[in-house]
Amino acid sequence: NAGVTQTPKFQVLKTGQSMTLQCAQDMNHNSMYWYRQDPGMGLRLIYYSASEGTTDKGEVPNGYNVSRLNKREFSLRLESAAPSQTSVYFCASRLDGNNEKLFFGSGTQLSVL
Amino acid sequence: DAKTTQPTSMDCAEGRAANLPCNHSTISGNEYVYWYRQIHSQGPQYIIHGLKNNETNEMASLIITEDRKSSTLILPHATLRDTAVYYCIVYTGTASKLTFGTGTRLQVTL
């Protein structure tokens, strides 16, 4: 039981390049989330998904797209990376229902030059 | 989901109790109070949660006021390893926007 797995752990991009951050969970969770964390700041919600095939915008969705093709995986895509997207990205998941906590991945550190 | 307000930072001497407050004055009746912490740049880790009763587990205690508008996380004997950012958030059981504030940076000192 690996929990929430994010790949890659580190990535350096040039401005304008595209890439996809991968997230997978093996806990049969319904809901999945993408957050970004800038240095010295809190977590900000980018997108979330309540179930397979559905996604909704969070607080800071501009410049990102997401895909929830199946229950396990929730990917985050940067179509044209900008230096302002330099951040640490965290994926999280949880079951629906009361008493259900969030489980987080270990993060992806992204630098856009 | 209700918003929360926490102090930006707090200090605590090692071995003493750390009491971290959180205001959630707009909390609704079916929203739970959850606490997470983030050590350095790791992914946040669950600590404890509750609805209206006080709760205790091996990591901490959670005290929720009777009107549920605020709560306090208590680390009974803080150690240097408890130095972290602590987040208080409130949410229901159904899928929803789970937004974190900036949290409280707790520094435990010798």
Side-chain angles (χ1 to χ4, degrees):
Chain A
N1 192 337
V4 180
T5 304
Q6 291 184 236
T7 55
K9 292 193 183 304
F10 301 95
Q11 183 71 47
V12 178
L13 294 176
K14 294 181 181 177
T15 298
Q17 286 186 314
S18 62
M19 79 158 295
T20 300
L21 280 65
Q22 305 287 353
C23 175
Q25 51 86 15
D26 60 0
M27 297 173 281
N28 202 35
H29 286 174
N30 310 89
S31 299
M32 297 186 73
Y33 306 81
W34 275 107
Y35 294 90
R36 63 175 286 176
Q37 186 173 39
D38 299 333
M41 306 289 285
L43 298 159
R44 291 187 293 171
L45 181 64
I46 305 172
Y47 270 94
Y48 64 102
S49 169
S51 61
E52 178 183 339
T54 68
T55 62
D56 284 291
K57 295 179 180 180
E59 301 169 282
V60 288
N62 291 342
Y64 305 95
N65 288 305
V66 289
S67 177
R68 181 91 183 269
L69 295 177
N70 56 57
K71 196 171 189 179
R72 286 189 68 248
E73 297 168 304
F74 189 36
S75 60
L76 179 72
R77 183 160 178 84
L78 288 71
E79 290 291 351
S80 178
S84 60
Q85 294 177 305
T86 294
S87 192
V88 180
Y89 292 84
F90 289 102
C91 177
S93 71
R94 72 177 182 117
L95 278 173
D96 291 341
N98 297 326
N99 299 305
E100 297 301 343
K101 59 194 178 193
L102 276 168
F103 290 80
F104 282 84
S106 57
T108 295
Q109 190 161 331
L110 175 68
S111 294
V112 183
L113 307 177
Chain B
D1 295 328
K3 297 294 186 186
T4 61
T5 305
Q6 300 177 254
T8 303
S9 63
M10 295 182 66
D11 292 329
C12 179
E14 189 175 36
R16 305 296 293 268
N19 296 286
L20 290 85
C22 179
N23 284 319
H24 30 81
S25 58
T26 59
I27 192 170
S28 60
N30 59 347
E31 287 184 314
Y32 283 69
V33 180
Y34 282 78
W35 283 82
Y36 293 84
R37 75 178 181 184
Q38 186 177 27
I39 295 173
H40 197 46
S41 298
Q42 300 173 19
Q45 171 193 28
Y46 165 83
I47 302 173
I48 197 168
H49 75 282
L51 182 63
K52 41 185 162 179
N53 297 324
N54 298 337
E55 302 287 345
T56 295
N57 63 20
E58 65 279 3
M59 290 180 70
S61 294
L62 174 61
I63 308 297
I64 303 173
T65 58
E66 193 167 341
D67 63 8
R68 304 211 321 123
K69 293 184 177 182
S70 65
S71 60
T72 301
L73 178 74
I74 301 173
L75 308 178
H77 305 287
T79 71
L80 296 177
R81 286 194 299 268
D82 292 322
T83 293
V85 177
Y86 289 77
Y87 297 97
C88 163
I89 70 172
V90 295
Y91 56 90
T92 66
T94 56
S96 57
K97 269 182 167 179
L98 301 189
T99 55
F100 286 73
T102 53
T104 296
R105 184 172 297 275
L106 176 68
Q107 180 70 52
V108 181
T109 58
L110 291 171

